[in-house]
Amino acid sequence: MYYLFGLPVLITSIKSTDYDKKDIINTIKNNYDKDSKRQEWDKSNYKTNIHHSLLDEKNNNFEKINYKSLLKPYEKAINKYLKSLPVLGKCEISYQIVNYTASKDETFMKPHMHSGCELSMVHYVQFDKEHAPTTFLSPYTYMGIWDRNDKFNGILQGSDLKNSWLQNEWQFPVKEDDVVIFPAILKHYVRNNKSKRLRMTISANINVNMA
């Protein structure tokens, strides 16, 4: 468990042999080849320009992703997150896989939070050193007005996670098949690098209730 800006973030990994990785990747690639800018989610001036399934799941022009094989690996990762926190009693979890993304060019996904849930999860299904990890934004409003963080950065090691409270944003060095689970209030975005291989992620929203 890592504490980014004071918020608990878990990075774990799942085995590629524990789910139908090849089939999922092939389906995402086929959909991407049909339209590399599938985008119904963001109509703002940010101009998100990735292949993104959110709000477009009923579009029959694209093949549906079979997520069934991911259910148990995801549940295992979520339980690992909860076991890493001090809790008052037993919890019940429910979660929903909400979308996948795919991008190859220099693309941008605007800053956002996941609503209607307590936790969010990102699974890096296809990812290598050419790709950009998710960028998390500081939740502290003082970062935009405080003029003393540069002074602290000259004293403290800014690259140490314990000093993330001094940073406007943060990236974890993730790898393929890593899963990152974090509080849904943590705003994040993606500015992908130009790459030869598709960057693919799957996102899920998690709800937690006392048993």
Side-chain angles (χ1 to χ4, degrees):
M1 183 71 76
Y2 301 96
Y3 284 86
L4 175 63
F5 313 126
L7 298 172
V9 177
L10 177 74
I11 301 178
T12 187
S13 60
I14 63 176
K15 295 180 180 179
S16 60
T17 54
D18 284 350
Y19 71 103
D20 297 332
K21 179 169 182 167
K22 184 177 180 180
D23 289 342
I24 290 173
I25 285 177
N26 286 340
T27 303
I28 292 176
K29 182 183 182 302
N30 290 338
N31 286 343
Y32 177 89
D33 289 342
K34 290 178 181 178
D35 186 355
S36 63
K37 303 295 186 290
R38 179 185 184 184
Q39 182 52 249
E40 292 297 324
W41 168 66
D42 179 25
K43 299 296 185 180
S44 69
N45 291 330
Y46 278 103
K47 295 182 180 178
T48 296
N49 58 345
I50 61 176
H51 180 95
H52 191 286
S53 66
L54 188 62
L55 302 182
D56 199 40
E57 292 86 356
K58 295 182 180 180
N59 190 336
N60 292 325
N61 292 325
F62 300 101
E63 186 178 350
K64 302 294 186 294
I65 309 297
N66 185 354
Y67 295 118
K68 185 177 180 179
S69 64
L70 283 168
L71 300 183
K72 287 186 177 179
Y74 283 4
E75 185 172 341
K76 183 178 179 180
I78 296 166
N79 283 325
K80 185 176 181 179
Y81 180 95
L82 294 175
K83 288 179 181 179
S84 300
L85 294 173
V87 295
L88 293 175
K90 291 184 179 180
C91 297
E92 292 181 348
I93 61 170
S94 60
Y95 66 96
Q96 179 184 12
I97 297 174
V98 291
N99 65 73
Y100 74 85
T101 67
S103 56
K104 184 184 294 185
D105 302 319
E106 294 178 358
T107 54
F108 181 71
M109 185 179 190
K110 75 173 184 178
H112 62 282
M113 296 184 294
H114 292 209
S115 60
C117 59
E118 287 75 58
L119 302 170
S120 299
M121 179 170 68
V122 178
H123 173 200
Y124 297 86
V125 178
Q126 185 164 278
F127 188 90
D128 57 35
K129 293 181 179 179
E130 287 186 313
H131 298 140
T134 303
T135 300
F136 294 97
L137 294 170
S138 171
Y140 302 127
T141 56
Y142 66 73
M143 292 305 297
I145 58 175
W146 193 37
D147 62 354
R148 295 296 177 178
N149 59 321
D150 286 341
K151 186 174 182 179
F152 266 118
N153 277 318
I155 300 170
L156 302 176
Q157 186 175 344
S159 60
D160 191 310
L161 186 65
K162 294 178 181 177
N163 295 326
S164 61
W165 60 279
L166 290 170
Q167 307 303 320
N168 288 307
E169 57 185 42
W170 194 272
Q171 292 180 335
F172 288 103
V174 293
K175 61 184 184 300
E176 186 164 300
D177 272 325
D178 273 354
V179 171
V180 181
I181 302 176
F182 53 94
I185 60 170
L186 192 52
K187 186 176 283 189
H188 52 286
Y189 72 92
V190 179
R191 188 183 297 279
N192 194 40
N193 305 317
K194 190 175 182 62
S195 56
K196 298 177 182 178
R197 187 169 178 244
L198 273 175
R199 178 190 190 275
M200 299 182 187
T201 63
I202 294 173
S203 296
N205 289 342
I206 305 162
N207 291 97
V208 183
N209 298 292
M210 292 298 294

